[in-house]
Amino acid sequence: DAGVIQSPRHEVTEMGQEVTLRCKPISGHDYLFWYRQTMMRGLELLIYFNNNVPIDDSGMPEDRFSAKMPNASFSTLKIQPSEPRDSAVYFCASSPVGQETQYFGPGTRLLVL
Amino acid sequence: GEDVEQSLFLSVREGDSSVINCTYTDSSSTYLYWYKQEPGAGLQLLTYIFSNMDMKQDQRLTVLLNKKDKHLSLRIADTQTGDSAIYFCAEGNTGTASKLTFGTGTRLQVTL
């Protein structure tokens, strides 16, 4: 398996623009997690899904952030409008039922100017 | 809420042992994890321990858990330059289905 796939790997945009980050979990995994990593706040869980259903979105910082999982093999995290403080590395992770681990993607490095 | 704390930086010489420490606050944690993050990469699970265990060994890695003090440590024997990375401690309540709370990460620097 190719592991968790994220795209794009790097994104540079201007303040006010819409940003869409994409994730393809490992096939057969039932759980999908979105994290944000910054120097100041470390690694934060934004939202996670079980069988495509959002279970906990309490980590989503504001209404500007939204996440969807239309099917078992695809999820998006959207920021609209983006702000400079959204600059971070965004990770997607997936996990199968019955295993005590989350498999992380390589991350998307977002810079909002 | 849950809190996981780690020191930010550790420097060791190649061949020495490294000990990375972590404290957590959630007494109901059932799993405690160590993840490794190399530059430009995502987090990779190194090892985990159930809360009813006090030690787990896996090749060069030894995990010690003091549940009373809510203290977790990761010992890396014979540290190599390839071990240079950021190490994250994390805790969870129900394994895979849980929200993992991560520490701030400890940057391990291995010098020659």
Side-chain angles (χ1 to χ4, degrees):
Chain A
D1 200 315
V4 175
I5 299 172
Q6 292 188 245
S7 64
R9 291 294 310 276
H10 302 273
E11 176 83 23
V12 181
T13 191
E14 292 187 344
M15 184 173 65
Q17 296 298 307
E18 178 179 293
V19 174
T20 300
L21 311 181
R22 297 173 176 79
C23 175
K24 177 176 165 47
I26 295 173
S27 177
H29 285 195
D30 293 319
Y31 290 88
L32 184 139
F33 305 81
W34 281 103
Y35 291 89
R36 177 172 68 176
Q37 185 179 35
T38 62
M39 288 291 291
M40 292 298 294
R41 301 175 67 91
L43 196 64
E44 304 171 276
L45 176 65
L46 301 177
I47 185 171
Y48 77 95
F49 296 82
N50 178 21
N51 291 323
N52 314 336
V53 176
I55 302 301
D56 186 343
D57 65 355
S58 60
M60 295 285 265
E62 303 172 30
D63 291 344
R64 297 185 296 107
F65 285 69
S66 62
K68 293 182 180 179
M69 192 165 185
N71 57 62
S73 59
F74 184 65
S75 176
T76 59
L77 178 67
K78 189 173 291 187
I79 309 172
Q80 167 63 21
S82 58
E83 297 183 3
R85 61 193 167 122
D86 302 329
S87 297
V89 182
Y90 291 81
F91 289 104
C92 176
S94 69
S95 181
V97 173
Q99 287 197 21
E100 292 75 27
T101 188
Q102 295 180 15
Y103 296 82
F104 279 74
T108 295
R109 188 172 297 272
L110 173 66
L111 177 61
V112 182
L113 301 174
Chain B
E2 304 90 350
D3 192 22
V4 179
E5 294 191 356
Q6 303 176 237
S7 54
L8 292 179
F9 185 76
L10 175 67
S11 180
V12 299
R13 287 193 176 181
E14 188 177 40
D16 288 350
S17 291
S18 308
V19 179
I20 302 171
N21 294 301
C22 169
T23 58
Y24 60 97
T25 59
D26 188 354
S27 57
S28 64
S29 298
T30 53
Y31 297 87
L32 294 131
Y33 305 81
W34 284 105
Y35 281 82
K36 177 183 180 182
Q37 184 180 29
E38 297 183 352
L43 278 69
Q44 175 189 7
L45 179 71
L46 280 180
T47 186
Y48 65 91
I49 189 169
F50 296 107
S51 59
N52 62 358
M53 300 168 63
D54 52 22
M55 187 182 86
K56 181 178 180 181
Q57 188 151 2
D58 183 2
Q59 299 183 331
R60 293 191 297 120
L61 305 179
T62 302
V63 178
L64 295 178
L65 174 61
N66 181 329
K67 195 174 180 181
K68 174 177 171 289
D69 294 338
K70 301 189 186 67
H71 182 268
L72 183 74
S73 68
L74 173 69
R75 179 178 181 270
I76 306 172
D78 186 24
T79 311
Q80 303 296 307
T81 55
D83 296 323
S84 295
I86 301 176
Y87 291 81
F88 290 89
C89 168
E91 62 90 18
N93 282 318
T94 55
T96 297
S98 73
K99 290 170 57 172
L100 297 186
T101 301
F102 284 85
T104 52
T106 299
R107 181 178 297 274
L108 174 64
Q109 175 180 277
V110 182
T111 59
L112 296 173

